[in-house]
Amino acid sequence: MGKIREIFFGFLLAFSTSAFAEEAGSFKQTIAAFSESVDGFFNDYTGWFVGLIFKSVPIGDVGFPIIVGWLLLAALIFTLYFGFVQFKRAGMAIDIVKGKYTDPNSKEDGEVSHFQALTTALSGTVGLGNIAGVGAALAIGGPGATFWMIVCGLLGMASKFCECTLGVKYRTVLPSGVISGGPMYYLSQGLAEKGLGGLGKVLAVGFALMCILGALGGGNMFQANQAHAMLTYAFDVPSEYGVITGLVLAALVFSVIVGGMPSIASVTEKIVPWMAGLYIGMAVIVIIANIDQVGAAFSAIFAGAFTGAGVAGGFIGALIQGLKRATFSNEAGVGSAAIAHSAVKTKEPITEGLVSLLEPFVDTVVICTMTALVITIAGLNVGPFDGSGLTGVTLTAASFTETAGVFKYLLALAVVMFAFSTMISWSYYGLKAWTYLFGEGKKIELAFKMMFCVFVVIGATIQFGAVIDFSDAAIFAMSIFNIIGLYFLMPIVKKELASFIARVKSGEIKTYEK
Amino acid sequence: MNESESCIVDLTRTLLKDGPKFLSHTLVITKSNAYLRPTVGAMMFCVVYIVVGGFLSSLAAYLLVVSTQYDLSIFVGGFGIAIGAFGIMLIQPFLRRVSFNKTSGVFDNRKDRNVKLHHIVSLQINNKIIQRKNALSYACYELNLLTLHGRRINILNHNNEDQLENDAVLLSMFLGVELKDYRREIIL
């Protein structure tokens, strides 16, 4: 009887696996065809847009994207205009976070502690930009890209300071009682105050449009895609099964953004800081375990920054990749952070601007550098740096795994959680832009939310190509509209900063020693 | 303890910090009983987690049978169990029958100590704004009761203002107690 059962099960398994193999083959073809058509669609209809945003000017024998120069120049101008605020006022920013300017006895309902504010801010900065973005930057730009990422992070602190201050200053209470803020509001209202209402409206609408595209691209498809890429790397899951990853993620995203269940949002907010801690912990372990190689890794980073050895376009190539990926990671100048920071409970917009300037530092200068050290130490990223070998999240994961095999599982867990939380954040940015353009309303909001969930599945299913180019272009395009407005509005921020400092000095704003 | 201090009950304060962005329950009144019925929409969002958790757990079991990828099975299964358990935890408050029973004379919310109906002094409507870093802030409303001994217990907590108002009026009539409106303008 036992033998008969064994034969029966053996037959069943053989039959089911061969049928499964056949079905899997056809499934693979269907997904490949779908992938190709989506990629083709993006190429045909959005190629001009990508070309326009990343229009390059020749520098030597390499094309330098104007948009990268635009962001770098803006960060440099803000740094000079605010008198190196990121260095001179970093102590004040830390004091604000520590609660030096907050009366400990006047805590209001629902107000978060400064420690909570800090952990939330830090966890919000760690994401796939630090993991996959650094992997991509180093695969194409070599170790030298790290140096330019750090430079971009340091300068970007001033851009973030400026935009987040304005985000709080010009936030609006909508008819429903909901507080809404971000570049859409400071561009339209701030410029209207200066008698440039028409320009402000155009910039605000342009920003909102790009923000929606950025939310669907970099804030959604890129995240879902890299989450599945990580599963493919860690567990050999076939890439065509991305549709399953996409459906699971979309269902969870759907329940959060459509359902609005409070406990789910709370759980996500609680888990993400732990994931950030886990990631940083792993990086610290790798660095300490290879402490003797850290000096050599830094040498490679500095040497590569100015020679660009093995990088297409030499040091300009390394610079482009460093700046592009740093911007993608810390979002300074893009305007998205101003949306998130505008919801904060504060009477002083400048305090939020000062706190926010710490984010690019932690995100890019500290965490991206740690990832870059892990990759450089592992030695898996070798020239020529043309992205043909390991790249993105797989390069980072492989580098972590060089030290301990178990890291790939922990990284997979962290990547999935980061992708999920980033999608939730960007759904919020996208929704803000959507409601700015089309107004508030349950049906209007639901339309965006449903579309967002569909894009999660698409992002996890298709292969990269034109889609990621488009995602990148949309996020960078946000900065065009945002930065033009920031140039007009930066005197307002300077005035706010001067007023705050004067009131602190005069004792009007009390300090509370802990 | 100072006696005068112990008697102060601030009825303007909300009892719960959080609240859902949807209609979670409606009030149903029969002859001698009033109870809260969870809405289908609210249950659906919890079911999503249970379904996803169940799917991932089944997928893990399937992978364990057809392949030797134990690491993938554990990873997928772990996620499945966590998500499914989370869904079950979420759905539990919706399955709890909260009732005001005139026959037994008690209010039972399956959580707090039962309250005798004749100890209920009044009902209050309070409002609050739920703020999140990564989501649109929204208004939320509470219907709370006050007992003779100064205890306050939450009855309803959701963001459908009209429905909550309507349920509050019906419940105050059913219980024969005063309904007080403590909604205020909230400036953030």
Side-chain angles (χ1 to χ4, degrees):
Chain A
M1 189 67 188
K3 191 142 179 103
I4 293 169
R5 197 188 300 149
E6 232 171 67
I7 293 166
F8 174 74
F9 273 112
F11 180 74
L12 193 69
L13 190 67
F15 177 77
S16 65
T17 48
S18 73
F20 178 74
E22 255 177 51
E23 273 185 24
S26 117
F27 179 63
K28 194 174 181 174
Q29 281 171 354
T30 310
I31 293 294
F34 176 65
S35 221
E36 211 171 293
S37 60
V38 173
D39 219 36
F41 173 84
F42 273 83
N43 211 12
D44 294 344
Y45 292 97
T46 66
W48 63 270
F49 171 72
V50 176
L52 185 71
I53 299 299
F54 289 114
K55 195 163 181 59
S56 301
V57 288
I59 296 181
D61 54 353
V62 67
F64 187 86
I66 298 169
I67 190 77
V68 175
W70 169 256
L71 276 157
L72 185 64
L73 183 69
L76 202 61
I77 289 172
F78 296 136
T79 299
L80 295 171
Y81 184 77
F82 294 117
F84 296 90
V85 65
Q86 63 267 57
F87 307 116
K88 277 171 73 177
R89 302 291 168 201
M92 185 176 257
I94 293 165
D95 283 342
I96 293 167
V97 169
K98 281 162 67 181
K100 193 176 173 182
Y101 303 102
T102 310
D103 184 353
N105 301 316
S106 71
K107 195 171 183 292
E108 290 172 40
D109 271 356
E111 195 176 318
V112 293
S113 71
H114 289 285
F115 177 73
Q116 282 172 309
L118 179 68
T119 54
T120 309
L122 292 187
S123 66
T125 62
V126 187
L128 281 181
N130 304 88
I131 305 171
V134 177
L138 268 69
I140 308 170
T146 313
F147 177 84
W148 297 111
M149 286 182 82
I150 294 170
V151 170
C152 186
L154 289 171
L155 295 176
M157 289 165 79
S159 309
K160 211 160 199 179
F161 160 74
C162 185
E163 63 192 6
C164 289
T165 304
L166 291 168
V168 179
K169 188 168 173 62
Y170 289 99
R171 61 185 175 176
T172 307
V173 181
L174 298 176
S176 62
V178 165
I179 287 190
S180 213
M184 298 83 77
Y185 296 94
Y186 63 67
L187 290 172
S188 55
Q189 292 170 23
L191 291 179
E193 279 177 12
K194 289 184 165 282
L196 298 165
L199 174 68
K201 197 82 189 157
V202 170
L203 293 176
V205 170
F207 176 86
L209 276 172
M210 291 307 124
C211 186
I212 292 166
L213 297 178
L216 296 174
N220 179 339
M221 289 199 290
F222 174 78
Q223 307 294 327
N225 189 283
Q226 289 296 283
H228 186 68
M230 184 66 218
L231 296 181
T232 302
Y233 171 78
F235 304 108
D236 291 327
V237 177
S239 58
E240 59 270 22
Y241 286 101
V243 67
I244 296 174
T245 309
L247 283 170
V248 169
L249 283 172
L252 299 180
V253 168
F254 173 84
S255 77
V256 175
I257 68 172
V258 180
M261 196 76 82
S263 43
I264 298 162
S266 310
V267 168
T268 312
E269 282 167 14
K270 283 189 181 86
I271 289 177
V272 169
W274 287 100
M275 289 296 122
L278 175 75
Y279 181 74
I280 293 167
M282 286 194 299
V284 168
I285 290 170
V286 173
I287 292 166
I288 291 174
N290 300 281
I291 196 78
D292 54 321
Q293 294 178 50
V294 172
F298 270 116
S299 299
I301 287 169
F302 286 111
F306 300 102
T307 62
V311 177
F315 99 92
I316 296 286
L319 184 144
I320 292 168
Q321 288 310 318
L323 299 186
K324 271 176 89 172
R325 292 301 120 207
T327 302
F328 194 85
S329 180
N330 64 38
E331 295 167 22
V334 169
S336 51
I339 302 175
H341 283 272
S342 65
V344 76
K345 240 180 191 177
T346 181
K347 289 169 191 149
E348 296 284 349
I350 206 76
T351 56
E352 196 55 20
L354 286 166
V355 170
S356 72
L357 67 74
L358 296 174
E359 289 177 16
F361 181 81
V362 177
D363 174 271
T364 311
V365 180
V366 179
I367 301 173
C368 283
T369 305
M370 286 169 98
T371 306
L373 280 176
V374 170
I375 293 171
T376 310
I377 285 168
L380 298 174
N381 185 38
V382 288
F385 302 107
D386 54 6
S388 59
L390 286 171
T391 183
V393 76
T394 49
L395 173 61
T396 310
S399 303
F400 270 98
T401 311
E402 280 292 294
T403 297
V406 72
F407 280 174
K408 75 175 177 185
Y409 302 123
L410 298 176
L411 202 58
L413 183 70
V415 164
V416 171
M417 292 305 300
F418 283 143
F420 180 66
S421 68
T422 307
M423 283 190 274
I424 302 295
S425 302
W426 272 93
S427 73
Y428 172 58
Y429 303 156
L431 187 60
K432 287 267 189 182
W434 184 266
T435 51
Y436 178 78
L437 288 178
F438 303 111
E440 279 187 308
K442 280 195 172 173
K443 282 183 184 165
I444 292 170
E445 289 176 20
L446 187 65
F448 174 78
K449 289 169 180 175
M450 296 302 288
M451 182 170 68
F452 194 86
C453 292
V454 170
F455 272 76
V456 176
V457 184
I458 296 174
T461 308
I462 58 172
Q463 301 297 310
F464 262 25
V467 178
I468 188 59
D469 291 341
F470 172 75
S471 305
D472 251 2
I475 285 187
F476 279 88
M478 286 164 71
S479 74
I480 300 174
F481 300 98
N482 186 39
I483 287 171
I484 293 173
L486 292 183
Y487 285 142
F488 284 103
L489 299 172
M490 61 188 187
I492 295 169
V493 179
K494 196 172 190 176
K495 213 170 144 186
E496 287 272 334
L497 179 65
S499 158
F500 182 76
I501 291 166
R503 280 180 291 143
V504 168
K505 279 184 181 164
S506 69
E508 191 185 327
I509 293 174
K510 291 192 177 89
T511 55
Y512 302 88
E513 292 301 335
K514 300 270 165 178
Chain B
M1 190 192 284
N2 184 331
E3 199 174 299
S4 63
E5 265 184 17
S6 69
C7 293
I8 295 169
V9 180
D10 183 2
L11 296 177
T12 62
R13 284 181 81 98
T14 51
L15 291 179
L16 306 172
K17 194 181 161 194
D18 235 326
K21 197 186 176 182
F22 50 80
L23 171 64
S24 62
H25 294 84
T26 53
L27 181 78
V28 178
I29 296 180
T30 60
K31 202 174 173 186
S32 60
N33 197 19
Y35 64 92
L36 302 183
R37 185 163 56 196
T39 58
V40 177
M43 301 274 278
M44 284 273 286
F45 292 115
C46 304
V47 170
V48 166
Y49 280 80
I50 297 171
V51 169
V52 170
F55 168 73
L56 289 177
S57 303
S58 311
L59 186 66
Y62 174 78
L63 289 167
L64 211 58
V65 173
V66 301
S67 77
T68 51
Q69 273 191 289
Y70 299 119
D71 54 357
L72 180 59
S73 302
I74 292 166
F75 188 83
V76 172
F79 257 106
I81 291 166
I83 293 168
F86 185 62
I88 291 167
M89 190 196 80
L90 280 180
I91 209 166
Q92 271 177 344
F94 292 101
L95 300 176
R96 215 167 39 212
R97 172 67 74 96
V98 177
S99 66
F100 296 83
N101 194 323
K102 278 188 174 170
T103 313
S104 60
V106 294
F107 161 66
D108 181 9
N109 68 357
R110 317 268 166 172
K111 199 169 79 180
D112 300 293
R113 189 157 36 89
N114 287 359
V115 176
K116 289 196 170 73
L117 293 187
H118 65 268
H119 283 171
I120 298 173
V121 178
S122 69
L123 301 177
Q124 310 92 44
I125 298 176
N126 300 94
N127 66 324
K128 59 194 172 187
I129 297 283
I130 310 292
Q131 278 191 289
R132 302 204 179 284
K133 190 173 165 63
N134 292 318
L136 295 173
S137 52
Y138 56 92
C140 197
Y141 306 90
E142 288 183 11
L143 177 64
N144 301 313
L145 65 78
L146 175 71
T147 71
L148 206 59
H149 307 105
R151 267 174 82 198
R152 290 185 76 205
I153 299 171
N154 177 256
I155 305 166
L156 285 166
N157 181 39
H158 59 70
N159 94 324
N160 190 322
E161 191 175 13
D162 294 339
Q163 183 67 44
L164 190 128
E165 255 177 14
N166 189 37
D167 288 344
V169 171
L170 289 175
L171 188 61
S172 72
M173 282 162 62
F174 176 80
L175 295 172
V177 296
E178 188 184 14
L179 173 65
K180 291 179 176 176
D181 191 345
Y182 287 104
R183 277 173 291 179
R184 62 206 162 101
E185 191 188 358
I186 299 173
I187 300 164
L188 294 162

